[in-house]
Amino acid sequence: MNIYYEPLIAKAILKGNRMDECTKILVIEDEEHIRTVLSYNLKLDGFEVYLAENGTTGLEMAHKIQPDLILLDWMMPGMDGLQVLSELKDDITTKSIPVFMLTAKSMMAEVGRALYQGADDYITKPFDVVELGQILKEKLEKART
């Protein structure tokens, strides 16, 4: 067995994850290192992960793959997260996809603004990448009820 996969399998077994869980998550984040860390850890948690480096690409991918959840960075150059959120929620083909804002903005007014514009939830940076998968599963379950 390749040594690089052993920790992945061990972590998945320890967390009690089934490899057949295939919740599709689209991560729209402009910072490459954050995309990489999110992708790695979310895959360990059994998610099928898609990555977009900007809002325009994220919108195209959302239409194409119809993810179960979108993690959307708020502060991105060009089209920011709120603009992407607005387009997602105004489009009949994407409006029912839960969108969780991924942001360093944690002031109640800012969070309220995102929720008012249609965000289903938010996760503030910095976040614990090890616990993120379980948090997303819980929040996604709550959003679906």
Side-chain angles (χ1 to χ4, degrees), residues 1-50:
M1 178 180 283
N2 186 328
I3 193 162
Y4 295 109
Y5 291 108
E6 288 179 32
L8 303 179
I9 294 168
K11 184 176 178 187
I13 291 169
L14 287 173
K15 287 188 164 195
N17 292 337
R18 294 178 22 215
M19 296 306 253
D20 62 345
E21 292 177 6
C22 289
T23 300
K24 294 186 288 188
I25 293 184
L26 172 59
V27 176
I28 306 173
E29 167 65 59
D30 64 313
E31 295 186 45
E32 184 178 5
H33 69 281
I34 294 176
R35 283 194 315 270
T36 301
V37 168
L38 285 171
S39 177
Y40 177 82
N41 282 280
L42 292 172
K43 286 177 182 178
L44 288 178
D45 286 317
F47 293 102
E48 186 176 333
V49 182
Y50 298 85

Side-chain angles (χ1 to χ4, degrees), residues 55-109:
T56 303
T57 302
L59 286 169
E60 291 170 4
M61 291 180 72
H63 285 97
K64 182 178 179 180
I65 65 171
Q66 291 291 301
D68 299 300
L69 172 66
I70 296 174
L71 280 182
L72 176 59
D73 184 23
W74 186 320
M75 295 182 289
M76 295 184 291
M79 179 181 267
D80 73 17
L82 289 183
Q83 292 170 309
V84 175
L85 175 65
S86 179
E87 290 202 26
L88 288 166
K89 294 303 179 178
D90 286 344
D91 188 313
I92 191 135
T93 62
T94 56
K95 73 178 184 178
S96 64
I97 300 171
V99 178
F100 295 172
M101 299 302 292
L102 188 60
T103 180
K105 295 177 178 274
S106 59
M107 295 183 67
M108 288 308 293

